[in-house]
Amino acid sequence: AKQHGKNTYRFFCPDAALASLKQLELRDDLHRAIYQKQLRLVYQPQVDARSGRLAGCEALVRWKHPEKGWIPPNVFIPIAEQAGLIVPLGRWVMLEACRQITLWQSMGYEVPRVSVNVSFVQLLREDLHQVLLSCLAANQLGPDRISVEVTESCIMQGVDAIDQLKRIQKSGIRVALDDFGTGYSSLSALKGLPIDELKIDRSFISEIAEGDDARAIVAAIIAMAQRLGVEVVAEGVENEVELNYLRERGADIIQGYFFGRPVPGSEFTGWLADTASH
Ligand code: C2E
Ligand code: CA
Ligand code: CA
Ligand code: CA
């Protein structure tokens, strides 16, 4: 196929063509999914590294496609971002998380805090601060009940995005920097940014058992975060070797399969029993 030259080459690339066709199909389906209740949230526990008590949870979105079954967020979130659908999807996520907190409260359970993921597109296309406040207000919740997780791509959108994050933080909603270590910003770049919490990316955690390089990186991130007064969450913690190292180094919060996988809100009550206010 390659001999036919540059212009025709793409016609002989069935994988890419098929992939873009599938994307188009999914985009239409996703539009329907948002308005036809095919989305779900699942919740993964975040555990205090020292006390072992529940510190909060992260809300993660799931899509059950009527024909294709469960589609992972790594597939549909990028599509939603490209198609502008992340704004309504993100609103649904924020509102649903607040509803779930209220539902747990009405059952007598107190959840310390729920983290929601937000895309840089949401920061650019809408007044995220106002959307968050109205979701909280609609459920009569205080700002300390939720936090938002942003990636470096959010911070690299410029001053408007950072101002937006500052407003969010100022109103009492925590801001967490997700997937830390995978992007380009250095630890020192964190200074002055509106960040309460830093989440060390899973790729570093999963190498803790293997060698000194990953250990050194993890130790440096924790030490610097402590100096900056930022809490450290380790994500993707799967075993005791990782857990013990993180504890030894002073990580604040542990998240990962070792403690628990993400589960629907109805199942998460098992985690909430400890802190039940009844
Ligand atoms: P993330 O924000 O980094 O979320 C953590 C991912 O790691 C989740 O995958 C979680 O299930 C998985 N995970 C947690 N503990 C472990 C572990 O111990 N081992 C392993 N191997 N994996 C673990 P998930 O739910 O498939 O989400 C993937 C990504 O999709 C998220 O990465 C986030 O970037 C995005 N996402 C999920 N929900 C939302 C949402 O509501 N809005 C936005 N904008 N993005 C979302
Ligand atoms: Ca996250
Ligand atoms: Ca992450
Ligand atoms: Ca991620």
Side-chain angles (χ1 to χ4, degrees):
K2 274 177 186 163
Q3 293 106 296
H4 292 274
K6 229 180 180 178
N7 291 332
T8 50
Y9 179 73
R10 60 196 175 99
F11 296 110
F12 294 95
C13 193
D15 281 357
L18 203 67
S20 67
L21 247 178
K22 275 188 176 159
Q23 282 225 345
L24 271 178
E25 221 178 86
L26 278 183
R27 191 179 70 187
D28 290 342
D29 291 355
L30 186 54
H31 191 265
R32 236 166 285 137
I34 298 167
Y35 299 100
Q36 291 181 1
K37 305 199 159 118
Q38 294 168 20
L39 301 178
R40 296 274 180 284
L41 288 185
V42 288
Y43 303 85
Q44 184 175 32
Q46 298 178 322
V47 175
D48 185 289
R50 280 165 286 267
S51 70
R53 294 177 61 126
L54 188 75
C57 62
E58 178 176 2
L60 295 152
V61 69
R62 296 288 178 265
W63 177 16
K64 193 177 185 184
H65 189 286
E67 288 119 37
K68 299 186 176 83
W70 294 101
I71 300 177
N74 289 335
V75 171
F76 70 83
I77 294 290
I79 297 173
E81 286 175 336
Q82 282 159 28
L85 289 170
I86 195 71
V87 169
L89 189 154
R91 284 185 179 201
W92 180 83
V93 168
M94 293 180 276
L95 195 57
E96 179 62 21
C98 289
R99 273 202 219 110
Q100 182 66 68
I101 297 173
T102 305
L103 182 63
W104 281 327
Q105 283 182 343
S106 73
M107 296 165 73
Y109 297 115
E110 213 40 70
V111 62
R113 182 167 56 232
V114 178
S115 285
V116 292
N117 292 282
V118 302
S119 158
F120 72 95
V121 180
Q122 289 170 270
L123 273 176
L124 295 179
R125 300 261 182 93
E126 67 179 349
D127 190 346
L128 191 65
H129 177 233
Q130 278 308 320
V131 176
L132 284 163
L133 290 184
S134 66
C135 288
L136 289 166
N139 288 279
Q140 291 155 348
L141 296 172
D144 59 331
R145 312 323 306 278
I146 57 169
S147 47
V148 293
E149 299 193 1
V150 300
T151 54
E152 260 172 65
S153 55
C154 290
I155 289 159
M156 306 207 311
Q157 300 304 316
V159 283
D160 286 352
I162 292 176
D163 281 349
Q164 175 92 247
L165 287 175
K166 282 182 178 159
R167 279 202 299 282
I168 290 170
Q169 190 190 46
K170 226 177 167 184
S171 66
I173 297 166
R174 282 165 66 99
V175 179
L177 185 58
D178 207 354
D179 301 345
F180 186 76
T182 58
Y184 297 102
S185 50
S186 59
L187 282 162
S188 58
L190 292 177
K191 229 172 71 189
L193 285 177
I195 285 160
D196 302 292
E197 190 179 296
L198 203 148
K199 299 190 77 173
I200 306 176
D201 193 68
R202 190 173 79 217
S203 57
F204 299 107
I205 307 299
S206 62
E207 280 169 22
I208 282 177
E210 276 141 51
D212 293 341
D213 285 359
R215 283 179 185 240
I217 293 170
V218 168
I221 294 175
I222 296 172
M224 178 68 89
Q226 283 172 343
R227 239 167 292 154
L228 293 170
V230 170
E231 272 203 333
V232 175
V233 181
E235 62 177 4
V237 177
E238 294 184 349
N239 57 57
E240 226 155 358
V241 175
E242 294 161 1
L243 176 67
N244 290 336
Y245 183 73
L246 290 160
R247 276 191 173 139
E248 182 191 306
R249 289 293 158 170
D252 300 290
I253 293 167
I254 308 291
Q255 183 180 349
Y257 295 170
F258 182 75
F259 282 115
R261 294 187 178 245
V263 293
S266 56
E267 283 171 45
F268 195 76
T269 50
W271 280 97
L272 300 175
D274 297 2
T275 49
S277 57
H278 52 216

